[in-house]
Structure formats: structure tokens, C-alpha cells
Amino acid sequence: MSATEVLARFRAEVGAAVTRARRASGEVGERNAKLRERTRDLAAQARERKVEPGAQATSSEVRETAAGFRADRGLAVEQVPSAADLTAPVPVETERVTLGSSAVAGPSGQLPRVSDDDEDFSQSRILY
């Protein structure tokens, strides 16, 4: 083999290696971009407390390790609510309901008399 052939072969191999490296770098960049976007979405859900009912919470050890990793490298560590806060049921306020019936004004616009006599109270709505 002549020196020219060896040099041409070397250049071809280096060119192929550079092409593979660029392709691999591009694929890793795409994967990292998708991961960053997914992480951003999850952080937004945590901030807004929009967590699916059956979602699995990340353990506190993993969360602490991740926060330590980011802090050691000078990266921002976002404070999000704890897993217990996110998965806790949201209290729902309900109207206070009084059981029983209340007197309704009759055709004359009068309410029935209030008395201790409970003899035939079921007809009070009809009569008044």
C-alpha cells in the first residue's frame, strides 16, 4: 500500500467516526430535550397540584439525592410540595343541610301556627 492510499483510508475512517459521533450526539440531544420537557411538565403539575389519583410518588431519599446533586453543581433546585401533600385528598366544602321539612306559606301567604301540638302536623303544608 502506498502512503497516499493509507492516508486516504485514514481520512475515510476518521470521517466515518466523526459522522457516527455527530449522529450519536444528535440522538442524545433529542433524548435530553424530551426528558427536560417531561421534567418541566411534571414540575408544573406539582406546582399546580394536578396529580393523577393513582400516581406513584418518588421516594424522599431519591428526591433528596437529586436536590443534593443539583445543589452541588450549582444548578437551581426548585421547591415543590412533598409527595404526601400532592397525593392527599383535597378537602371539599359542602353546604350544611338541615334535615326535615320547613313550613311553606299557604295560598293566603300565611305560615302555619307554631305550637307544641304535634297531632296532625303532616297536613300543615296543605292547609296553609
Side-chain angles (χ1 to χ4, degrees):
M1 244 192 249
S2 70
T4 320
E5 291 175 344
V6 171
L7 185 59
R9 187 173 178 187
F10 176 74
R11 285 183 179 166
E13 287 180 13
V14 168
V18 168
T19 302
R20 284 192 306 271
R22 286 182 180 152
R23 187 178 303 130
S25 176
E27 290 172 0
V28 169
E30 286 179 29
R31 189 176 70 205
N32 285 342
K34 288 178 185 176
L35 181 63
R36 272 189 241 108
E37 183 179 343
R38 175 76 176 134
T39 302
R40 197 175 310 116
D41 292 343
L42 289 173
Q45 285 179 2
R47 262 186 255 106
E48 296 168 4
R49 298 183 184 271
K50 291 182 180 177
V51 179
E52 297 174 6
Q56 292 291 327
T58 304
S59 71
S60 60
E61 289 179 14
V62 172
R63 289 171 61 127
E64 290 171 8
T65 303
F69 176 86
R70 293 181 67 80
D72 291 345
R73 284 156 182 78
L75 301 171
V77 179
E78 195 170 333
Q79 297 299 322
V80 293
S82 69
D85 292 340
L86 290 174
T87 56
V90 177
V92 178
E93 292 186 28
T94 59
E95 280 187 39
R96 187 176 179 116
V97 178
T98 305
L99 298 177
S101 61
S102 59
V104 178
S108 63
Q110 296 178 353
L111 290 173
R113 291 176 300 168
V114 178
S115 69
D116 293 334
D117 184 22
D118 61 348
E119 213 172 282
D120 193 14
F121 66 91
S122 65
Q123 299 299 314
S124 65
R125 273 196 167 156
I126 298 170
L127 295 175
Y128 293 97

